[in-house]
C-alpha cells in the first residue's frame, strides 16, 4: 500500500467518524520553542494549553514534521528520519479513552476493502501505564486483546507531557509483531525492533506542575475537559505494510536511493558504509525538498543552517559514494515525483525550490575547494611539527567555520597519512549541542507568560477589532496590566498594558508595524507605544500615560494617528506592488520570503540567486510605478483557505492561516495575496515607489528596500539636490555628471601613481646615503633605518636596495616604515651575514616585540607589521643589541 494511500485512508476514516480534516501546518510554525514543527500535536498546542478555544470538538490531520537532534544518526538505524509525517486524531472534551481506542482498532484491523489498513489483529500488542487499569480493560473489551499482549510500563515510557507545567496524561502505545526473524519474543518490553510501535494514544486528563524530567513532576489535579492527542508515524506504517526493513525503502524515499545508485555505480545492499550514505542522501534530499517547499532557504543560522546542513550532507554523501558531479539536479526531481501526490503545491513551486537547491550545491562545491586549501595548510603544519594527527579543534573549526564535513576531513587526512582526533571533535560538537539545548530549554515556559492574557480573554471575551473600518472608537478599559500582573490603575509617567472592549488600532502582524496614536479620557491621556495580540482574539495596547491616571472600567476615546495609518497603508500596499513587480520582471520563482513595513518604508525578502542587474532593478521600480499610475483598485475579501489557493492567492511562507482567510487584490490577478494588513483604496494613493537598495541575505535569498509616499519624494528631492550641487561644481549638465566624475577619477588615479613614483624615487635616491651610514656591529655592517611615510612595498624595495649596496661585507639591513600610522618592517641579510649564523626570520621577531606585532620569512628576507609606531626606534636599537650580543 503506497504511503499516500495510507495517508488518504487515515484522513477518510476519521472524517467519516465526524472529525474535521485540518490541513498540515507549515513546518515553520509560529512557536517560540521550536525551529520546526516536530510533532503532530504542535498546531493544536494552544487548545491543549487552554490558550485558545478550539473551533471544532474533534479533528484529524497528517502533519509534516522535522526533527533535527538526530541528524548524525540518519541512515545508521531504521528509525531516524529528519522529515516525517504524523497522522493524528484529536478530541477536545468530546470522546476519551474508549473512543480513541475504538477508532484506532477499527482503522488498523479493518479490511482493506472497507477502507482499513488490514493489519492482522493477532500481531497487535499494546502498552499502558502500569496504573491505568481502565485502558487495559477497554483494550480487552473493544479489541479482545488477551492480558499477555497488554503490557504495563512506567512513567518514562507511557506518560506524556510537554516538558512544562500544563496538561499531561497516560498513554497507550500500539505495536505490531513483525515476526521472529526481527528479534526475540516477549512483546515490546523485550524488543522494540521486532515489535514496532506505530501509534501512540495520549489521554490528557491531568494538570501537572514542577516538571523536572519526563518521569518527575507533580500532579495538580484532573483537567476539567479531558482531551485526546494521538500520533501514528506514517512512514513506520508504510514500511510495515510494504514489507520493507526500514523507512528508507518505502515508496516515497527509495527511488532517490535507486537514482543515487544508478549515477554513482555503487549498489545498495552490498556495503554497510555505502548503505548509510545512500540513506543519508534519500532522507536529506526529501527533507530539504519539504523545508524549501515551506519557504526555508539555506543560511548560517537557525532554520537556514539546518537546511544548509541537510543539503550539504547529501552532496557530501554522494561524493563519498564516488559521484563528484552536481547531484541535486538528478535527485531532487525524483523526490518531487514521489511527494507531489500528497503535496501538489511542491510541483507548482518547484522552479523556485530547484533554483535555491542548485545554488546551494554550487556554493558548497566552492566551499569544498576553499576548505581543501585550509585543510592542506593545516596538514602541512602538523607534518612540519612532526605530528601525525589533526587536532579535534582544527577539525571542528573546519566544520563549524568553513562548513567542511568531518567525513571529508577524515578521508583527506587518511590520504595524507594523518589521523584526526575524532574524540576531541565529537566533544566539541557535543558542547555545541549542549549549548543549543540549554538555550532551547531556557526558552521553554514562554507559554506561561500568556496566563494573564488568557484570564483577561476568558473574563471579557475577544476584543472588537475595528482597524479596517475606523480610526477612532469610544472604548471601555477591560484590563490594565503592569509587570505581567493585573493592576487597578496606571499613574502618569508609567508604562503599562491596556485591554479595551473595542479598538481601531492595528496590532503588529504580517510584517506591518503596529499603529501609533493616543487614548484620551476626562483628565488624562496616554500615548500608544505598541499593539500586540499575545493570544488569539485579544488586542493589547502598550501605553505611556502622559497625564492623569488611567483606571479600570474608564471610558475613553481610542484614536489612531491618521498620518501614521496613511503611511502604513502606503507601505503595506507598496510591499504587495513591489512583490508583484518582482514576479513580473524576474518570473514566478521570485516569491516573497518575508517582509517588514512601517510608514514610508518597506523591505521585502524574496527567493532569487545572484544579484540583480541595474536594468532589472530599474525594471522592478518602473513596473511598480506603472501600477501606481494605472490607479488600480485595491480590494479585500474573506474566503476559505482552499478557495483562496484555488483562486491563486499567494501565501507568505511561515505564516499560519485559519480556515477563513483575507485575500487582498491590487489590480485583480496582478497582485493577489493572503494578507491581514491595512491598505490604500487605490494604488495611486501609494504616491511613489523608490527602490533604495537590493542585496543578498543568504544563498538563494535577496532583500529589496524601498521608500513610498512622501518619504519617497523626499528621497528623490535629496538626490536632485546632490545632482544640482555637482553640476554647479563641475560646470556641466546633469546628464554629463557621470562622465565628468569618471574623467576626474582617472586623472586622480594617474596623479596618485605619478606621486608614488616620485616618492619611490626619492626613497631609493636616499638609499645610497643610508647605506653609507652603516655601523660595524660585531663585524657586521648594520643599517637600521626609519623610512618615514613608507608603506610595506616601499620598505621592501629600500631594504633590498641597501643590502645590494653592502655586498662587499656581511650586512644586516632593517627598514621600518610608518605609512598610515602602522609600522611595516623588513629585515634583509646577505649571504655573508647568513654564513655567520644570522637569520632574518629570527631578527624580525625582535622587531615585532617592540612595535606590537610579529612577522616571519626566510633566513635572507623576513617581513612583518605592528601597531605601535612609537616603538620603531626601540626596534632598531633592539636588533643592534642582538647583533652585538
Amino acid at each position: 500500500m503506497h504511503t499516500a494511500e495510507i495517508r488518504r485512508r487515515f484522513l477518510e476514516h476519521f472524517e467519516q467518524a465526524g472529525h474535521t480534516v485540518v490541513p498540515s501546518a507549515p513546518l515553520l510554525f509560529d512557536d517560540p520553542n521550536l525551529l520546526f514543527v516536530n510533532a503532530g500535536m504542535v498546531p493544536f498546542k494552544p487548545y491543549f494549553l487552554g490558550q485558545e478555544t478550539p473551533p471544532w470538538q474533534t479533528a484529524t490531520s497528517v502533519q509534516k514534521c522535522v526533527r533535527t537532534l538526530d541528524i548524525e544518526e540518519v541512515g545508521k538505524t531504521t528509525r531516524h528520519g529528519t522529515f516525517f509525517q504524523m497522522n493524528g486524531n484529536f478530541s477536545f472534551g468530546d470522546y476519551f479513552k474508549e473512543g480513541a481506542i475504538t477508532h484506532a482498532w477499527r482503522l488498523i484491523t479493518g479490511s482493506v476493502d472497507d477502507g482499513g489498513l488490514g493489519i492482522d489483529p493477532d500481531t497487535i500488542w499494546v502498552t499502558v501505564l502500569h496504573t491505568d487499569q481502565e485502558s487495559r480493560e477497554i483494550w480487552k473489551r473493544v479489541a479482545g486483546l488477551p492480558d499477555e499482549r497488554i503490557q504495563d510500563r512506567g512513567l518514562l515510557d507511557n506518560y506524556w507531557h510537554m516538558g512544562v507545567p500544563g496538561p499531561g496524561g497516560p498513554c497507550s502505545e500500539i505495536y505490531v509483531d513483525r515476526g521472529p526473524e526481527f528479534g526475540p519474543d516477549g512483546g515490546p518490553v523485550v524488543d522494540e525492533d521486532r515489535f514496532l510501535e506505530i501509534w501512540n494514544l495520549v489521554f490528557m486528563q491531568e494538570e501537572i506542575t514542577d516538571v523536572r524530567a519526563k518521569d518527575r513532576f507533580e500532579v495538580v489535579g484532573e483537567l476539567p475537559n479531558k482531551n485526546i492527542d494521538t500520533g501514528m508515524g506514517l512512514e513506520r506504517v508504510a514500511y510495515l505494510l510494504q514489507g520493507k526493513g526500514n523507512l528508507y525503502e518505502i515508496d516515497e524515499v527509495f527511488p532517490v536511493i535507486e537514482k543515487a545508485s544508478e549515477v554513482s555505480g555503487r549498489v545498495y545492499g552490498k556495503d554497510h558504509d555505502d548503505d548509510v550514505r545512500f540513506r543519508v542522501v534519500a532522507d536529506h534530499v526529501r527533507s530539504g525538498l519539504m523545508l524549501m517547499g515551506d519557504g526555508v532557504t539555506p543560511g548560517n543560522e537557525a532554520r537556514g543552517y539546518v537546511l544548509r546542513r541537510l543539503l550539504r550532507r547529501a552532496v557530501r554523501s554522494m561524493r563519498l559514494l564516488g559521484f563528484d558531479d552536481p547531484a541535486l539536479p538528478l535527485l531532487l526531481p525524483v523526490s518531487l515525483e514521489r511527494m507531489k501526490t500528497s503535496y501538489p503545491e511542491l510541483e507548482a513551486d518547484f522552479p523556485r525550490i530547484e533554483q535555491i537547491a542548485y545554488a546551494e550545491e554550487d556554493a558548497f562545491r566552492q566551499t569544498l575547494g576553499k576548505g581543501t586549501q585550509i585543510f592542506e595548510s593545516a596538514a602541512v603544519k602538523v607534518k612540519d611539527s612532526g605530528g601525525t594527527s589533526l587536532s579535534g579543534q582544527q577539525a571542528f573549526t573546519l566544520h563549524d567555520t568553513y562548513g567542511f564535513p568531518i567525513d571529508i576531513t577524515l578521508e583527506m587526512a587518511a590520504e595524507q597519512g594523518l589521523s584526526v582526533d575524532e574524540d576531541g571533535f565529537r566533544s566539541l560538537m557535543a558542547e555545541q549541542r549542549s549549548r543549543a539545548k540549554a538555550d532551547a530549554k531556557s526558552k521553554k515556559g514562554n507559554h506561561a507568560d500568556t496566563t494573564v492574557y488568557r484570564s483577561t480573554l476568558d473574563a471579557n471575551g475577544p476584543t472588537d477589532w475595528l482597524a479596517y473600518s475606523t480610526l477612532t472608537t469610544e472604548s471601555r478599559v477591560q484590563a490594565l496590566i503592569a509587570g505581567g500582573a493585573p493592576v487597578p490603575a496606571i499613574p502618569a509617567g508609567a508604562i503599562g498594558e491596556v485591554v479595551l472592549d473595542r479598538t481601531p488600532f492595528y496590532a503588529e502582524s504580517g510584517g506591518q508595524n503596529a499603529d501609533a496614536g493616543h487614548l484620551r479620557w476626562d483628565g488624562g491621556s496616554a500615548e500608544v507605544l505598541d499593539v500586540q495580540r499575545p493570544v488569539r482574539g485579544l488586542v493589547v495596547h502598550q501605553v505611556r500615560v502622559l497625564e492623569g491616571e488611567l483606571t479600570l472600567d474608564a471610558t475613553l476615546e481610542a484614536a489612531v494617528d491618521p498620518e501614521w495609518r496613511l503611511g502604513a497603508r502606503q507601505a503595506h500596499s507598496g510591499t504587495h506592488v513591489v512583490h508583484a513587480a518582482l514576479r513580473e520582471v524576474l518570473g514566478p520563482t521570485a516569491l516573497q520570503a518575508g517582509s517588514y513595513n512601517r510608514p514610508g518604508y518597506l523591505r521585502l525578502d524574496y527567493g532569487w540567486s545572484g544579484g540583480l542587474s541595474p536594468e532589472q532593478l530599474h525594471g522592478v521600480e518602473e513596473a511598480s510605478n506603472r501600477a501606481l499610475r494605472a490607479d488600480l483598485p485595491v480590494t479585500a475579501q474573506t474566503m476559505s483557505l482552499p478557495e483562496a489557493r484555488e483562486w491563486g492567492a499567494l501565501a507568505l511562507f511561515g505564516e499560519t492561516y485559519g480556515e477563513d482567510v483575507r485575500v487582498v487584490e491590487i489590480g485583480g490577478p496582478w497582485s493577489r495575496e493572503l494578507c491581514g494588513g491595512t491598505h490604500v483604496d487605490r494604488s495611486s494613493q501609494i504616491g511613489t515607489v523608490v527602490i533604495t537598495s537590493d542585496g543578498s541575505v543568504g544563498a538563494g535569498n535577496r532583500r529589496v528596500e524601498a521608500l513610498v509616499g512622501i518619504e519617497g519624494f523626499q528621497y528623490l528631492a535629496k538626490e536632485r539636490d546632490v545632482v544640482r550641487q555637482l553640476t554647479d561644481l563641475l560646470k556641466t549638465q546633469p546628464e554629463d555628471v557621470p562622465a565628468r566624475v569618471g574623467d576626474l577619477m582617472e586623472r586622480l588615479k594617474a596623479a596618485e601613481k605619478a606621486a608614488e613614483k616620485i616618492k619611490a624615487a626619492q626613497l631609493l635616491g636616499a638609499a645610497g646615503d643610508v647605506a653609507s651610514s652603516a655601523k660595524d656591529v660585531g663585524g657586521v655592517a648594520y643599517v637600521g633605518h626609519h623610512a618615514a611615510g613608507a608603506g610595506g612595498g616601499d620598505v621592501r624595495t629600500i631594504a633590498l636596495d641597501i643590502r645590494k649596496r653592502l655586498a662587499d661585507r656581511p650586512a644586516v639591513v632593517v627598514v621600518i616604515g610608518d605609512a598610515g600610522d602602522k609600522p611595516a618592517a623588513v629585515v634583509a641579510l646577505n649571504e655573508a651575514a647568513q654564513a655567520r649564523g644570522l637569520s632574518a626570520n629570527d631578527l624580525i621577531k625582535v622587531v615585532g616585540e617592540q612595535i606590537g606585532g610579529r612577522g616571519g620569512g626566510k633566513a635572507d628576507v623576513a617581513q612583518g607589521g605592528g601597531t605601535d609606531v612609537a616603538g620603531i626606534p626601540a626596534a632598531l636599537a633592539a636588533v643592534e643589541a642582538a647583533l652585538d650580543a
Side-chain angles (χ1 to χ4, degrees):
M1 189 180 295
H2 286 172
T3 307
E5 175 63 12
I6 300 169
R7 178 183 188 273
R8 186 194 68 77
R9 285 171 180 257
F10 183 91
L11 292 175
E12 188 174 89
H13 172 80
F14 282 101
E15 186 175 25
Q16 290 176 351
H19 293 61
T20 299
V21 176
V22 179
S24 172
L27 287 166
L28 287 71
F29 194 69
D30 183 19
D31 188 305
N33 299 325
L34 300 173
L35 276 179
F36 306 108
V37 172
N38 64 356
M41 58 75 60
V42 168
F44 303 94
K45 192 188 293 186
Y47 310 133
F48 291 131
L49 286 168
Q51 295 173 346
E52 300 177 19
T53 301
W56 354 260
Q57 284 192 298
T58 59
T60 184
S61 71
V62 177
Q63 175 61 47
K64 297 177 287 187
C65 301
V66 164
R67 290 183 183 169
T68 60
L69 293 178
D70 298 323
I71 287 178
E72 298 287 347
E73 298 303 314
V74 168
K76 298 176 182 177
T77 74
T78 62
R79 298 183 180 183
H80 290 95
T82 313
F83 170 82
F84 61 96
Q85 300 159 89
M86 188 60 72
N87 300 347
N89 59 286
F90 309 91
S91 168
F92 307 99
D94 191 69
Y95 61 83
F96 197 48
K97 292 181 181 179
E98 183 155 351
I101 291 171
T102 301
H103 285 309
W105 183 255
R106 287 176 179 173
L107 175 63
I108 60 178
T109 62
S111 73
V112 173
D113 291 341
D114 292 334
L117 299 182
I119 298 175
D120 183 354
D122 292 336
T123 66
I124 304 296
W125 291 63
V126 300
T127 61
V128 297
L129 185 65
H130 62 89
T131 57
D132 185 13
Q133 292 307 304
E134 179 187 6
S135 293
R136 171 180 287 275
E137 293 304 317
I138 293 172
W139 276 114
K140 291 165 66 176
R141 183 173 66 254
V142 169
L145 287 180
D147 277 320
E148 60 269 21
R149 298 218 313 268
I150 307 172
Q151 296 188 318
D152 291 339
R153 280 189 156 178
L155 292 171
L156 201 59
D157 294 298
N158 276 68
Y159 194 95
W160 182 94
H161 56 77
M162 296 185 191
V164 295
C171 57
S172 181
E173 296 176 326
I174 303 173
Y175 293 78
V176 175
D177 181 1
R178 297 198 289 165
E181 65 270 29
F182 291 96
D185 201 357
V189 297
V190 173
D191 190 315
E192 289 198 7
D193 283 326
R194 170 174 171 173
F195 298 89
L196 181 70
E197 180 200 340
I198 62 168
W199 206 341
N200 186 17
L201 313 179
V202 177
F203 312 129
M204 291 191 198
Q205 63 188 54
E206 298 168 335
E207 181 180 355
I208 65 170
T209 188
D210 192 21
V211 181
R212 303 178 299 283
K214 193 172 188 299
D215 58 343
R216 289 190 294 157
F217 51 85
E218 300 299 326
V219 176
V220 177
E222 293 286 311
L223 290 172
N225 289 319
K226 296 180 179 180
N227 303 322
I228 290 294
D229 160 30
T230 84
M232 169 196 272
L234 180 55
E235 282 78 7
R236 285 196 180 188
V237 177
Y239 79 75
L240 178 71
L241 295 185
Q242 292 173 19
K244 303 299 182 182
N246 57 64
L247 64 87
Y248 307 103
E249 296 175 11
I250 65 173
D251 61 303
E252 286 189 347
V253 183
F254 192 66
V256 175
I257 292 179
E258 290 180 310
K259 187 66 175 181
S261 175
E262 174 191 327
V263 300
S264 68
R266 306 279 181 94
V267 179
Y268 181 72
K270 278 197 170 184
D271 178 84
H272 172 73
D273 290 341
D274 280 354
D275 287 352
V276 170
R277 292 162 187 154
F278 278 123
R279 292 167 184 165
V280 167
V281 170
D283 173 88
H284 288 5
V285 167
R286 185 171 78 138
S287 300
L289 170 69
M290 301 307 296
L291 285 170
M292 289 182 287
D294 274 359
V296 184
T297 55
N300 290 326
E301 295 181 358
R303 293 161 170 163
Y305 180 70
V306 172
L307 173 60
R308 170 162 288 168
R309 189 177 173 202
L310 292 173
L311 294 178
R312 292 186 172 193
R313 276 173 58 86
V315 172
R316 175 207 69 196
S317 295
M318 287 299 293
R319 183 184 186 278
L320 296 177
L321 286 167
F323 187 77
D324 291 330
D325 293 334
L328 294 181
L330 301 174
L331 303 175
L332 205 60
V334 176
S335 188
L336 168 71
E337 194 63 29
R338 291 297 172 169
M339 298 306 297
K340 69 181 184 182
T341 302
S342 297
Y343 306 99
E345 64 272 14
L346 290 172
E347 186 169 30
D349 203 23
F350 194 67
R352 179 190 64 85
I353 294 170
E354 64 179 347
Q355 184 181 62
I356 293 169
Y358 304 161
E360 177 63 17
E361 180 169 12
D362 290 341
F364 182 47
R365 289 167 67 83
Q366 294 177 18
T367 294
L368 286 176
K370 294 177 183 176
T372 300
Q373 293 176 354
I374 296 165
F375 168 83
E376 289 175 348
S377 175
V380 168
K381 289 181 180 178
V382 170
K383 288 182 176 180
D384 288 348
S385 67
T388 60
S389 177
L390 205 66
S391 73
Q393 181 62 58
Q394 288 171 308
F396 180 77
T397 300
L398 279 166
H399 170 87
D400 194 54
T401 304
Y402 301 102
F404 209 62
I406 182 61
D407 287 356
I408 293 183
T409 300
L410 291 168
E411 178 186 352
M412 294 178 64
E415 291 171 358
Q416 297 264 9
L418 297 173
S419 62
V420 178
D421 177 11
E422 288 189 71
D423 290 340
F425 171 81
R426 305 290 177 197
S427 175
L428 290 168
M429 287 294 293
E431 287 179 19
Q432 187 184 65
R433 288 196 194 97
S434 296
R435 287 193 297 270
K437 287 181 180 179
D439 181 59
K441 186 176 181 180
S442 72
K443 294 177 181 176
K444 281 193 173 182
N446 284 359
H447 295 287
D449 294 340
T450 64
T451 302
V452 66
Y453 305 118
R454 294 202 308 272
S455 299
T456 301
L457 182 63
D458 291 342
N460 301 287
T463 306
D464 187 7
W465 189 61
L466 303 171
Y468 295 146
S469 58
T470 185
L471 294 179
T472 61
T473 60
E474 182 178 323
S475 305
R476 183 178 64 84
V477 177
Q478 292 184 323
L480 297 173
I481 300 166
V487 294
I490 303 176
I495 293 176
E497 293 178 308
V498 182
V499 177
L500 304 174
D501 61 344
R502 65 178 63 88
T503 182
F505 282 86
Y506 183 83
E508 180 183 3
S509 65
Q512 180 176 329
N513 251 12
D515 279 333
H518 287 82
L519 307 181
R520 295 185 178 90
W521 61 95
D522 281 343
S525 67
E527 175 188 9
V528 176
L529 305 175
D530 192 16
V531 189
Q532 297 290 332
R533 293 177 182 269
V535 295
R536 187 176 298 176
L538 194 72
V539 178
V540 178
H541 312 73
Q542 184 188 61
V543 304
R544 177 189 288 111
V545 177
L546 302 177
E547 56 181 335
E549 183 180 59
L550 182 56
T551 60
L552 203 58
D553 292 325
T555 299
L556 52 75
E557 179 191 59
V560 176
D561 181 339
E563 286 298 314
W564 178 280
R565 173 65 73 83
L566 174 59
R569 294 166 68 206
Q570 289 175 319
H572 204 146
S573 296
T575 305
H576 286 225
V577 165
V578 171
H579 186 203
L582 279 166
R583 290 166 56 77
E584 179 180 310
V585 173
L586 302 179
T589 61
L591 278 173
Q592 179 177 337
S595 68
Y596 170 77
N597 54 79
R598 63 173 186 266
Y601 167 85
L602 68 89
R603 74 167 185 245
L604 186 147
D605 295 348
Y606 63 99
W608 194 256
S609 298
L612 269 59
S613 68
E615 292 75 20
Q616 288 174 316
L617 208 56
H618 177 74
V620 173
E621 188 175 70
E622 184 176 336
S624 299
N625 284 294
R626 278 202 314 269
L628 272 56
R629 186 179 66 177
D631 194 29
L632 302 173
V634 181
T635 61
Q637 54 185 304
T638 300
M639 61 185 70
S640 70
L641 184 57
E643 287 174 332
R645 285 175 170 157
E646 186 176 343
W647 210 32
L650 298 176
L652 179 63
F653 289 122
E655 286 290 320
T656 303
Y657 300 100
E659 292 188 6
D660 291 327
V661 294
R662 183 169 179 259
V663 179
V664 174
E665 284 188 321
I666 301 179
W670 185 72
S671 172
R672 185 177 283 162
E673 300 188 29
L674 303 187
C675 180
T678 59
H679 289 272
V680 297
D681 298 318
R682 302 193 70 85
S683 62
S684 61
Q685 295 170 353
I686 297 171
T688 188
V689 173
V690 181
I691 293 179
T692 57
S693 72
D694 175 76
S696 173
V697 287
N701 237 19
R702 298 191 67 78
R703 172 173 293 170
V704 63
E705 295 181 279
L707 298 174
V708 299
I710 193 67
E711 287 79 4
F713 286 113
Q714 289 170 344
Y715 180 88
L716 294 174
K718 288 179 181 178
E719 286 201 331
R720 179 194 61 200
D721 291 343
V722 170
V723 172
R724 185 172 62 241
Q725 293 174 44
L726 287 172
T727 57
D728 291 344
L729 287 170
L730 299 173
K731 308 298 183 187
T732 189
Q733 296 300 311
E735 60 269 20
D736 296 328
V737 167
R740 287 294 304 275
V741 172
D743 178 58
L744 287 173
M745 291 297 295
E746 289 298 322
R747 290 164 62 184
L748 178 61
K749 287 179 183 177
E752 288 175 342
K753 286 183 179 178
E756 286 294 325
K757 287 181 180 179
I758 293 171
K759 179 183 174 183
Q762 289 174 338
L763 291 170
L764 287 173
D769 294 336
V770 175
S772 65
S773 67
K775 297 180 182 180
D776 185 286
V777 181
V780 174
Y782 171 61
V783 172
H785 177 55
H786 179 181
D794 292 334
V795 167
R796 186 180 180 90
T797 301
I798 296 167
L800 295 179
D801 185 77
I802 295 173
R803 184 182 69 173
K804 183 178 179 182
R805 294 171 188 267
L806 298 173
D808 59 332
R809 49 190 162 151
V812 173
V813 180
V814 180
V815 179
I816 308 178
D818 58 12
D821 288 331
K822 287 189 176 180
V826 171
V827 178
L829 277 64
N830 60 17
E831 290 184 4
Q834 295 172 58
R836 291 187 169 218
L838 298 173
S839 168
N841 190 47
D842 294 336
L843 294 174
I844 195 67
K845 293 180 173 62
V846 175
V847 174
E849 291 174 359
Q850 303 299 322
I851 61 174
R854 57 184 180 178
K858 298 182 180 179
D860 59 339
V861 180
Q863 61 188 44
T867 58
D868 184 9
V869 172
I872 292 176
L876 298 174
V879 174
E880 182 176 345
L883 294 174
D884 198 32

